[in-house]
Amino acid sequence: MDSATSDLTGTRPPLRSTADNGLKIVIVGGFGVGKTTMVRSVSDIRPLNTEETMTRAGEGVDDADGVPSKTTTTIAFDFGRISLNDRTVLYLFGAPGQERFWFLWDRLFTGTLGAVVLVDTRRLVDSWYAIDRLEAHGMPFIVARNDFGGPEYSAEDVREALDLPDNIPLIECDARSRESSKEVLITLVNHLYTLSSSARESAQ
C-alpha cells in the first residue's frame, strides 16, 4: 500500500513487461463535471476519449445549464492509465455524464475496484444518480468536489446535500491539475485499503 501510494506521487516510467496486476477504477458524475479533464490530466499515456462536438441535435436532450461554455461531450467513455509500480497498473475509466448514456455505467462498473464521484456545485443534483448506482452495486467510492468556480458551499454543506455518511471521504480538487487529480486517486486508494483492513479485522 505505502509503496503504491509513493509511486503514484512520483515520476512513473512507461508500462513495463513485468506489469501483471491491473486495477480498474471509474470516475463518474454529471454532465460537464470534469471527468474527461481529470483522466486527461493524470494519465501516463495519451488518453483514449470518445468526445464529440455538441450540435443543435442535442438541444433539449442534454441539459447544459450551468456549463454554457461546454462544446464537446463524451459519448462512450474516457480511458487512461497510471503505472503504480513495475507490476501494478491503474486503469482509469471516465463514464459519460449525459442521462441518455447512463445505461453504459453498469458495464463500466464490471471488475471495478472503486470509484470517484466528481461533483460540481453548479449542478450538485446531478451527483445523485452516480451515488445511487454505486450504492446499488455495493461499490466503494469517494467524492471529489471539482473547483469550477461554482457557488461557495462548505464541505459540510455538500456532505449534507448529498447525504454522505462520515466514513465516505469528501475532498476538494481541481481536475485540470495533475497534482490535484493524483491526490484524488491517492485518497481513493487509501479509502479502499482502510475498508479492506476493516473487513479483514472483522473476519478474524
Side-chain angles (χ1 to χ4, degrees):
M1 164 59 196
D2 290 338
S3 67
T5 300
S6 63
D7 286 336
L8 185 56
T9 61
T11 300
R12 298 173 302 280
L15 182 62
R16 301 190 179 207
S17 60
T18 54
D20 59 3
N21 185 26
L23 306 176
K24 176 184 176 183
I25 70 166
V26 174
I27 302 171
V28 298
F31 178 61
V33 77
K35 300 179 295 296
T36 297
T37 300
M38 176 169 283
V39 173
R40 183 182 296 130
S41 73
V42 78
S43 177
D44 284 347
I45 61 173
R46 182 177 181 178
L48 166 69
N49 65 64
T50 55
E51 279 195 310
E52 295 292 342
T53 301
M54 296 174 64
T55 66
R56 295 181 62 88
E59 293 181 5
V61 178
D62 297 325
D63 180 9
D65 288 345
V67 285
S69 61
K70 187 168 177 59
T71 59
T72 61
T73 184
T74 299
I75 61 172
F77 60 85
D78 304 301
F79 172 77
R81 188 194 76 205
I82 294 177
S83 298
L84 299 182
N85 52 45
D86 287 352
R87 299 193 59 182
T88 304
V89 181
L90 186 65
Y91 296 108
L92 311 175
F93 288 82
Q98 313 95 303
E99 184 174 354
R100 59 193 168 115
F101 295 129
W102 283 351
F103 70 92
L104 295 170
W105 286 23
D106 288 346
R107 292 191 177 184
L108 283 177
F109 290 164
T110 301
T112 298
L113 186 67
V116 174
V117 178
L118 204 56
V119 303
D120 182 345
T121 54
R122 297 173 299 179
R123 298 166 59 93
L124 202 56
V125 69
D126 290 355
S127 307
W128 275 106
Y129 180 80
I131 292 173
D132 179 69
R133 294 311 304 153
L134 292 170
E135 290 179 340
H137 280 263
M139 186 182 301
F141 66 92
I142 68 166
V143 175
R145 181 171 66 168
N146 193 16
D147 181 12
F148 272 160
E152 291 292 333
Y153 295 114
S154 68
E156 291 75 16
D157 290 337
V158 174
R159 184 175 292 277
E160 182 177 357
L162 297 178
D163 195 25
L164 287 180
D166 291 338
N167 65 322
I168 296 179
L170 168 64
I171 65 172
E172 304 284 332
C173 76
D174 182 344
R176 298 163 294 187
S177 164
R178 180 176 176 82
E179 292 302 317
S180 182
S181 295
K182 286 194 294 186
E183 285 300 318
V184 171
L185 300 181
I186 290 171
T187 300
L188 175 59
V189 170
N190 286 336
H191 180 54
L192 295 173
Y193 180 76
T194 298
L195 294 176
S196 176
S197 298
S198 298
R200 285 197 302 268
E201 291 174 1
S202 299
Q204 292 176 353

